[in-house]
Structures are given as C-alpha cells and as structure tokens.
Amino acid sequence: MTFPNETLNVIMNHRSIRKFSDRPVDTATLEQIVSAGQMASSSSHVQAYSVIAVTDPERKAALAEMCGGQAYVRECPVFLVWCGDLHRLKDAAARYTPELASYEGSAENFIIATVDTALAAQTAAIAAESLGLGIVYIGGIRNRIAEVSQLLELPDLVYPVFGMCLGYPDQSPMSRPRLPVRAVLHMNRFDAATADRELEPYDETMVQYLSERTNGTKDTPWTRLMADKLTQPARPHMREYLRSRGFKLE
C-alpha cells in the first residue's frame, strides 16, 4: 500500500527487524539518527534522556543474556539503550539553586523522563527506517535492570527504559495488524461501546495473521493474549530498583 508522501510510507511500512546483515552502521549515520531523535518534542525542553550505543561484542553478548537470551541483541551491529536521564537536571539545580529543595525524583518527573525518552527513540526509529535501516525495541532490558545499570555505569537518576537493535535488515517480515483506528480514536468523549465493538473483528484479523505467520501453530485472539499477559506479574522489581536510583515517586 502506498501513501500520499514518503514520510507516511516510512511510518506505515514499519516492521520489527530481528535479523540484520553484516553491514556496519557508521558513526556518522548513527549520529544523524540520534540527532533526528533529539528533534522530538520534549516537556519544557528538559530533554530528559540519554542513549548509550553498544557496539562492543562482549557487552552486547552480556546484554543479550540479561535481556532473556535474545540473540538479535548480540547479533545487531548497534544496540541502543535508551535511558531516562534526570541526573543532569539534578546537577543544574545543585549549581544554580543549592539552597532550595529539588524534585528530580518525583513521580511527575519520572513520567516526563520516560515520555521524553520514548518520543526521542521513536523519532530516531523513523529516521533510521527512512535511511534503509531497521529496528526492534527490547523491553527485556528491564529484566535484570540493576545489572544492566552496573554494566553501563549509569549514575543515579538515570534508568534504562528500553533497548533498540539497530542495523540493516536481512529479512522482510509481515506487518503486524494494529487495532482499528476506531478502537483508539474517540471524538469529543470516550466512546467505550464503539471501541469495544471493534475488538471482535480485530481478534479475527489477528487469528488469521498469527496462523499465517506461524504456519498454523498459533491462532490466539488478541484479547486472549492480553488477558494472559495481564494475569502474569511483570518485573515486580522495578519499583524497588527505581527507589534505589533516587526516585521517590511521590
């Protein structure tokens, strides 16, 4: 399917890439991609994020194991660790207003840093895809987040939000169907009835997609997948980890 301009073509043809060619990502290209990410909107211009580009094979191998044994973390040319970063804001407060209390570890600032990081990363992802590269996000970076932080020598108030494999694609996977736009777009007020009606046909779409992708070995509806996901505890260590890194979350 084609769209009215090249930007929409890039966005609407996104695929998660988990197999990469041996072609390296040169430093100039990497810096261009991250610079594009920096053009994303940022709350009050705080730019509360940092990104660590890991190219060292031993460090990538260690991170792959910490992420749950995901081979593509080890095999991709560059593994980016996108971090929420309020460390530099704390330093700014200490420099200019040492006599005042600062609230860099508040719940609001945690949200700001996490959102800033996501906006920058997704903008960088679109930039990368426009240049012919591919990406896949790695939430598994939070599986053993304290060990990741130690490996990457992160200071207090800097925390990994997610990883991102980056490289030139060596596969062309199917596009995963998204929820119908009417399931997520509400006009003037939240319309639960209309949104809920869209879920049944979407389940049918996902059953067909999974069956085709897995040669018939999987055909679970999306709503069942989500129900199963929400009945399993997910990374319960995160709260204590964040508190240990200087976030009071109050």
Side-chain angles (χ1 to χ4, degrees), residues 86-196:
L86 289 158
H87 180 79
R88 67 170 71 95
L89 271 68
K90 180 181 180 180
D91 286 351
R95 177 180 180 183
Y96 290 104
T97 56
E99 74 283 2
L100 300 177
S102 59
Y103 300 93
E104 60 278 342
S106 69
E108 172 64 8
N109 282 326
F110 170 75
I111 292 171
I112 286 172
T114 303
V115 171
D116 266 16
T117 305
L119 293 174
Q122 183 58 21
T123 304
I126 294 169
E129 291 173 345
S130 78
L131 295 170
L133 289 90
I135 67 99
V136 64
Y137 284 99
I138 305 295
I141 199 75
R142 302 188 300 277
N143 288 353
R144 292 160 59 182
I145 194 168
E147 294 173 67
V148 170
S149 300
Q150 183 177 15
L151 178 68
L152 300 179
E153 302 178 34
L154 302 184
D156 282 352
L157 296 167
V158 178
Y159 57 98
V161 180
F162 42 69
M164 178 190 285
C165 296
L166 175 71
Y168 291 93
D170 192 29
Q171 62 175 175
S172 183
M174 297 171 61
S175 177
R176 183 172 297 186
R178 267 40 177 187
L179 283 162
V181 68
R182 290 183 180 177
V184 298
L185 175 62
H186 301 256
M187 302 301 295
N188 299 311
R189 65 176 184 85
F190 195 96
D191 184 355
T194 297
D196 289 348

Side-chain angles (χ1 to χ4, degrees), residues 40-113:
S41 298
S42 168
S43 178
S44 300
H45 203 50
V46 297
Q47 304 171 82
Y49 55 85
S50 291
V51 56
I52 300 171
V54 183
T55 57
D56 175 72
E58 291 186 4
R59 285 182 181 250
K60 282 195 296 174
L63 288 168
E65 196 267 330
M66 292 175 190
C67 290
Q70 299 186 62
Y72 28 93
V73 173
R74 180 180 65 253
E75 296 165 358
C76 66
V78 182
F79 185 63
L80 301 177
V81 182
W82 290 89
C83 300
D85 184 353
L86 289 158
H87 180 79
R88 67 170 71 95
L89 271 68
K90 180 181 180 180
D91 286 351
R95 177 180 180 183
Y96 290 104
T97 56
E99 74 283 2
L100 300 177
S102 59
Y103 300 93
E104 60 278 342
S106 69
E108 172 64 8
N109 282 326
F110 170 75
I111 292 171
I112 286 172

Side-chain angles (χ1 to χ4, degrees), residues 180 182-183 189 191-203:
R182 290 183 180 177
R189 65 176 184 85
D191 184 355
T194 297
D196 289 348
R197 281 197 299 271
E198 297 291 336
L199 295 181
E200 185 174 349
Y202 181 62
D203 273 344

